[in-house]
PDB file of all heavy atoms in Angstrom:
ATOM      1  N   ASP A 234     116.326  19.040 121.889  1.00  0.00           N
ATOM      2  CA  ASP A 234     116.172  19.172 120.434  1.00  0.00           C
ATOM      3  C   ASP A 234     117.391  18.653 119.677  1.00  0.00           C
ATOM      4  O   ASP A 234     117.301  18.362 118.485  1.00  0.00           O
ATOM      5  CB  ASP A 234     115.910  20.629 120.040  1.00  0.00           C
ATOM      6  CG  ASP A 234     114.501  21.078 120.384  1.00  0.00           C
ATOM      7  OD1 ASP A 234     113.639  20.218 120.643  1.00  0.00           O
ATOM      8  OD2 ASP A 234     114.272  22.299 120.394  1.00  0.00           O
ATOM      9  N   ASP A 235     118.510  18.519 120.360  1.00  0.00           N
ATOM     10  CA  ASP A 235     119.703  17.967 119.709  1.00  0.00           C
ATOM     11  C   ASP A 235     119.437  16.558 119.174  1.00  0.00           C
ATOM     12  O   ASP A 235     120.072  16.129 118.214  1.00  0.00           O
ATOM     13  CB  ASP A 235     120.893  17.942 120.665  1.00  0.00           C
ATOM     14  CG  ASP A 235     121.606  19.277 120.761  1.00  0.00           C
ATOM     15  OD1 ASP A 235     121.059  20.300 120.295  1.00  0.00           O
ATOM     16  OD2 ASP A 235     122.722  19.305 121.317  1.00  0.00           O
ATOM     17  N   ARG A 236     118.476  15.841 119.769  1.00  0.00           N
ATOM     18  CA  ARG A 236     118.146  14.489 119.286  1.00  0.00           C
ATOM     19  C   ARG A 236     117.666  14.526 117.841  1.00  0.00           C
ATOM     20  O   ARG A 236     117.943  13.613 117.064  1.00  0.00           O
ATOM     21  CB  ARG A 236     117.087  13.844 120.178  1.00  0.00           C
ATOM     22  CG  ARG A 236     117.593  13.555 121.577  1.00  0.00           C
ATOM     23  CD  ARG A 236     116.525  12.943 122.418  1.00  0.00           C
ATOM     24  NE  ARG A 236     115.505  13.956 122.685  1.00  0.00           N
ATOM     25  CZ  ARG A 236     114.574  13.843 123.602  1.00  0.00           C
ATOM     26  NH1 ARG A 236     114.498  12.754 124.322  1.00  0.00           N
ATOM     27  NH2 ARG A 236     113.696  14.799 123.794  1.00  0.00           N
ATOM     28  N   VAL A 237     116.940  15.567 117.485  1.00  0.00           N
ATOM     29  CA  VAL A 237     116.467  15.711 116.108  1.00  0.00           C
ATOM     30  C   VAL A 237     117.659  15.958 115.184  1.00  0.00           C
ATOM     31  O   VAL A 237     117.773  15.345 114.121  1.00  0.00           O
ATOM     32  CB  VAL A 237     115.433  16.856 115.997  1.00  0.00           C
ATOM     33  CG1 VAL A 237     115.056  17.110 114.546  1.00  0.00           C
ATOM     34  CG2 VAL A 237     114.206  16.551 116.843  1.00  0.00           C
ATOM     35  N   LEU A 238     118.559  16.821 115.616  1.00  0.00           N
ATOM     36  CA  LEU A 238     119.730  17.147 114.794  1.00  0.00           C
ATOM     37  C   LEU A 238     120.659  15.949 114.629  1.00  0.00           C
ATOM     38  O   LEU A 238     121.165  15.702 113.530  1.00  0.00           O
ATOM     39  CB  LEU A 238     120.482  18.329 115.405  1.00  0.00           C
ATOM     40  CG  LEU A 238     119.687  19.626 115.553  1.00  0.00           C
ATOM     41  CD1 LEU A 238     120.534  20.691 116.245  1.00  0.00           C
ATOM     42  CD2 LEU A 238     119.175  20.121 114.214  1.00  0.00           C
ATOM     43  N   THR A 239     120.901  15.200 115.719  1.00  0.00           N
ATOM     44  CA  THR A 239     121.807  14.044 115.608  1.00  0.00           C
ATOM     45  C   THR A 239     121.209  12.986 114.686  1.00  0.00           C
ATOM     46  O   THR A 239     121.936  12.349 113.925  1.00  0.00           O
ATOM     47  CB  THR A 239     122.135  13.418 116.985  1.00  0.00           C
ATOM     48  OG1 THR A 239     120.937  12.979 117.616  1.00  0.00           O
ATOM     49  CG2 THR A 239     122.899  14.377 117.868  1.00  0.00           C
ATOM     50  N   CYS A 240     119.894  12.844 114.724  1.00  0.00           N
ATOM     51  CA  CYS A 240     119.230  11.899 113.831  1.00  0.00           C
ATOM     52  C   CYS A 240     119.410  12.339 112.371  1.00  0.00           C
ATOM     53  O   CYS A 240     119.765  11.538 111.514  1.00  0.00           O
ATOM     54  CB  CYS A 240     117.753  11.791 114.190  1.00  0.00           C
ATOM     55  SG  CYS A 240     116.838  10.584 113.208  1.00  0.00           S
ATOM     56  N   ALA A 241     119.200  13.613 112.112  1.00  0.00           N
ATOM     57  CA  ALA A 241     119.324  14.133 110.746  1.00  0.00           C
ATOM     58  C   ALA A 241     120.749  13.996 110.223  1.00  0.00           C
ATOM     59  O   ALA A 241     120.960  13.575 109.082  1.00  0.00           O
ATOM     60  CB  ALA A 241     118.890  15.595 110.703  1.00  0.00           C
ATOM     61  N   VAL A 242     121.719  14.324 111.052  1.00  0.00           N
ATOM     62  CA  VAL A 242     123.124  14.228 110.629  1.00  0.00           C
ATOM     63  C   VAL A 242     123.491  12.771 110.380  1.00  0.00           C
ATOM     64  O   VAL A 242     124.111  12.435 109.356  1.00  0.00           O
ATOM     65  CB  VAL A 242     124.051  14.880 111.677  1.00  0.00           C
ATOM     66  CG1 VAL A 242     125.515  14.566 111.390  1.00  0.00           C
ATOM     67  CG2 VAL A 242     123.824  16.390 111.724  1.00  0.00           C
ATOM     68  N   SER A 243     123.102  11.883 111.290  1.00  0.00           N
ATOM     69  CA  SER A 243     123.416  10.460 111.131  1.00  0.00           C
ATOM     70  C   SER A 243     122.767   9.872 109.886  1.00  0.00           C
ATOM     71  O   SER A 243     123.316   8.970 109.267  1.00  0.00           O
ATOM     72  CB  SER A 243     122.965   9.682 112.362  1.00  0.00           C
ATOM     73  OG  SER A 243     123.695  10.087 113.499  1.00  0.00           O
ATOM     74  N   ALA A 244     121.599  10.370 109.530  1.00  0.00           N
ATOM     75  CA  ALA A 244     120.869   9.876 108.359  1.00  0.00           C
ATOM     76  C   ALA A 244     121.297  10.558 107.070  1.00  0.00           C
ATOM     77  O   ALA A 244     120.830  10.181 105.994  1.00  0.00           O
ATOM     78  CB  ALA A 244     119.375  10.083 108.567  1.00  0.00           C
ATOM     79  N   SER A 245     122.154  11.561 107.157  1.00  0.00           N
ATOM     80  CA  SER A 245     122.512  12.379 105.987  1.00  0.00           C
ATOM     81  C   SER A 245     121.250  12.930 105.332  1.00  0.00           C
ATOM     82  O   SER A 245     121.085  12.893 104.110  1.00  0.00           O
ATOM     83  CB  SER A 245     123.341  11.583 104.976  1.00  0.00           C
ATOM     84  OG  SER A 245     124.542  11.159 105.554  1.00  0.00           O
ATOM     85  N   ALA A 246     120.353  13.429 106.166  1.00  0.00           N
ATOM     86  CA  ALA A 246     119.077  13.953 105.681  1.00  0.00           C
ATOM     87  C   ALA A 246     119.276  15.191 104.819  1.00  0.00           C
ATOM     88  O   ALA A 246     120.252  15.926 104.985  1.00  0.00           O
ATOM     89  CB  ALA A 246     118.173  14.290 106.874  1.00  0.00           C
ATOM     90  N   ASP A 247     118.353  15.399 103.907  1.00  0.00           N
ATOM     91  CA  ASP A 247     118.363  16.580 103.058  1.00  0.00           C
ATOM     92  C   ASP A 247     117.614  17.741 103.692  1.00  0.00           C
ATOM     93  O   ASP A 247     117.824  18.888 103.317  1.00  0.00           O
ATOM     94  CB  ASP A 247     117.730  16.280 101.697  1.00  0.00           C
ATOM     95  CG  ASP A 247     118.540  15.283 100.901  1.00  0.00           C
ATOM     96  OD1 ASP A 247     119.777  15.363 100.910  1.00  0.00           O
ATOM     97  OD2 ASP A 247     117.920  14.412 100.277  1.00  0.00           O
TER      98      ASP A 247
END
Side-chain angles (χ1 to χ4, degrees):
D234 286 344
D235 278 13
R236 293 179 291 194
V237 174
L238 301 177
T239 60
C240 183
V242 169
S243 295
S245 299
D247 294 320

